[in-house]
């Protein structure tokens, strides 16, 4: 992290030290989890509004998903892996530099090349998540996050590139394991194909996520400005940031390259089953956290 726990304690309005202490004790009793820094615990706890049990569930889901889904969370060094460089050439990704008036970070993702054969879903998810992680690494917990998707160039052929097992894991991560306060998913430049996309993804969405999903056609940008003001948007979308999406993507790519030590270290943060405490008796079964490895993901 490029920030410290001490800095977070001073800047977070609803910080609860007793939650962090309870989580540290819990992790000591569960050595199968990887080493977890105080900064990481703050991210997890903040995303769950410092509810201890919800934070435990988020930590468990996150580490289990990372262990079970190398397609999303391994081989993320931009300089080292050609597939990461390829997808960065096929998609635009950015953290917009100006937050919303509510203090929400805006994470952006769209196609930059429209040929379906060039798109790899798992790699697209990988760089989207890397972009969101980069914001957390650099600035710490935000009051909330908006994910802004631009559907320009999306075709029926892109849907054939989706792997349903990985699609389900992606939505599980977004809803159960991503240590952010997700406040909205805004999809712009929609087209009729959105109905087919919703048919695919709706079974994987909880009602809470569905309630923060919003669509805007190319003629409805004024509605978007009510939620994300023009001063937060690049010039491509009528905004006044003074930067284009291409420029912001180029900057984001350099940031992702610079964070390669974090990506490489993160590859080691997986479950060690040899250290998992045995669970015996009724109480242990009641206290056991949900185990994502046992879910049908295929």
């Amino acid at each position: 992290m490029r920030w410290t726990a001490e800095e977070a304690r001073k800047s977070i309005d609803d910080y609860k030290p007793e939650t962090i202490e309870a989580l540290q004790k819990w992790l000591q009793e569960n050595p199968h989890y990887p080493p977890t820094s105080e900064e990481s615990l703050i991210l997890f706890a903040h995303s769950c509004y410092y509810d201890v049990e919800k934070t435990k569930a988020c930590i468990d889901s996150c580490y289990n998903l990372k262990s079970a889904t190398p397609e999303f969370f391994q081989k993320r060094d931009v300089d080292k892996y050609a597939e990461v460089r390829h997808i960065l050439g096929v998609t635009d990704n950015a953290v917009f530099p100006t937050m919303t008036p509510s203090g929400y970070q805006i994470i952006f993702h769209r196609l930059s090349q429209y040929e379906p054969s060039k798109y790899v879903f798992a790699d697209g998810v990988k760089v989207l998540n890397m972009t969101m992680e980069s914001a957390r690494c650099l600035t710490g917990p935000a009051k909330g996050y908006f994910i802004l998707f631009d559907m320009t160039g999306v075709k029926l052929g892109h849907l054939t590139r989706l792997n349903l097992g990985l699609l389900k894991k992606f939505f599980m991560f977004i809803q159960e394991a991503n240590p952010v306060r997700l406040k909205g998913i805004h999809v712009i430049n929609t087209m009729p194909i959105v109905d087919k996309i919703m048919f695919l993804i709706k079974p994987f969405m909880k009602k809470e996520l569905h309630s923060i999903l919003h669509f805007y056609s190319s003629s409805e940008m004024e509605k978007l400005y009510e939620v994300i003001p023009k001063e937060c948007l690049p010039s491509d979308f009528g905004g006044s940031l003074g930067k284009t999406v291409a420029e912001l993507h180029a900057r984001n790519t350099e940031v992702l390259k610079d964070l390669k030590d974090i990506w490489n270290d993160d590859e080691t943060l997986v479950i060690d089953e040899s250290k998992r405490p045995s669970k015996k008796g009724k109480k242990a079964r009641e206290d056991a956290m949900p185990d994502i490895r046992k879910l049908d993901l295929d």
Side-chain angles (χ1 to χ4, degrees), residues 122-298:
D123 294 338
V125 171
K126 181 184 293 188
V127 297
L128 171 63
N129 189 54
M130 288 170 66
T131 300
M132 192 177 301
E133 282 192 48
S134 73
R136 301 198 303 266
C137 288
L138 296 176
T139 63
K143 290 183 178 180
Y145 284 80
F146 282 154
I147 300 178
L148 181 61
F149 289 109
D150 181 2
M151 283 191 66
T152 300
V154 176
K155 306 173 183 177
L156 186 60
H158 288 100
L159 300 189
T160 68
R161 307 285 293 171
L162 298 180
N163 176 300
L164 290 183
L166 291 179
L167 186 66
K168 185 173 184 178
K169 285 187 178 182
F170 168 66
F171 276 99
M172 293 181 72
F173 179 74
I174 288 292
Q175 296 172 106
E176 307 290 343
N178 195 17
V180 301
R181 295 180 178 180
L182 185 60
K183 297 293 186 176
I185 300 176
H186 299 275
V187 185
I188 60 176
N189 292 319
T190 57
M191 52 196 72
I193 195 176
V194 73
D195 293 333
K196 295 181 174 62
I197 294 174
M198 286 303 299
F199 178 78
L200 278 177
I201 68 176
K202 193 171 182 180
F204 306 138
M205 298 176 65
K206 294 184 176 181
K207 63 179 181 180
E208 293 84 1
L209 185 64
H210 193 269
S211 69
I212 61 171
L213 180 62
H214 308 280
F215 297 95
Y216 311 83
S217 68
S218 58
S219 63
E220 295 177 315
M221 292 300 288
E222 291 297 329
K223 292 183 180 179
L224 178 70
Y225 299 150
E226 295 174 5
V227 184
I228 303 178
K230 288 185 178 182
E231 57 264 28
C232 302
L233 293 168
S235 56
D236 307 55
F237 304 119
S240 56
L241 276 180
K243 299 284 186 181
T244 65
V245 166
E247 291 172 321
L248 294 171
H249 171 72
R251 172 57 185 157
N252 184 63
T253 299
E254 292 305 311
V255 170
L256 299 186
K257 289 181 179 180
D258 184 56
L259 294 176
K260 66 179 179 179
D261 288 344
I262 289 177
W263 310 137
N264 292 330
D265 289 344
D266 197 59
E267 291 188 6
T268 67
L269 302 182
V270 295
I271 298 287
D272 185 344
E273 291 298 338
S274 68
K275 296 181 180 179
R276 185 184 289 271
S278 60
K279 298 284 187 178
K280 297 181 179 179
K282 180 178 180 181
K283 186 178 186 303
R285 289 194 299 273
E286 292 174 345
D287 292 343
M289 304 305 299
D291 189 347
I292 199 170
R293 297 162 304 138
K294 297 179 181 177
L295 297 175
D296 181 9
L297 299 175
D298 295 322

Side-chain angles (χ1 to χ4, degrees), residues 14-110:
D14 56 349
Y15 181 81
K16 293 183 180 180
E18 62 272 20
T19 296
I20 305 302
E21 293 169 5
L23 294 171
Q24 289 172 328
K25 180 180 179 182
W26 173 72
L27 285 172
Q28 290 174 357
E29 297 168 350
N30 291 273
H32 60 294
Y33 294 119
T36 304
S37 67
E38 185 176 354
E39 286 77 14
S40 293
L41 283 183
I42 290 172
L43 286 173
F44 280 117
H46 185 264
S47 72
C48 298
Y49 298 87
Y50 295 91
D51 182 296
V52 173
E53 295 307 315
K54 289 182 179 179
T55 306
K56 289 179 182 179
C58 183
I59 291 172
D60 185 78
S61 294
C62 183
Y63 284 143
N64 274 302
L65 259 172
K66 284 190 171 185
S67 302
T69 320
E71 297 92 339
F72 294 164
F73 301 107
Q74 298 284 320
K75 298 182 177 181
R76 300 199 288 179
D77 187 322
V78 177
D79 292 322
K80 190 175 181 180
Y81 296 107
E83 58 267 35
V84 180
R85 295 193 299 274
H86 170 79
I87 202 66
L88 285 168
V90 174
T91 61
D92 285 328
N93 305 269
V95 181
F96 288 174
T98 300
M99 294 186 183
T100 71
S102 298
Y104 298 166
Q105 288 267 16
I106 304 167
I107 309 299
F108 179 79
H109 181 80
R110 75 171 181 188

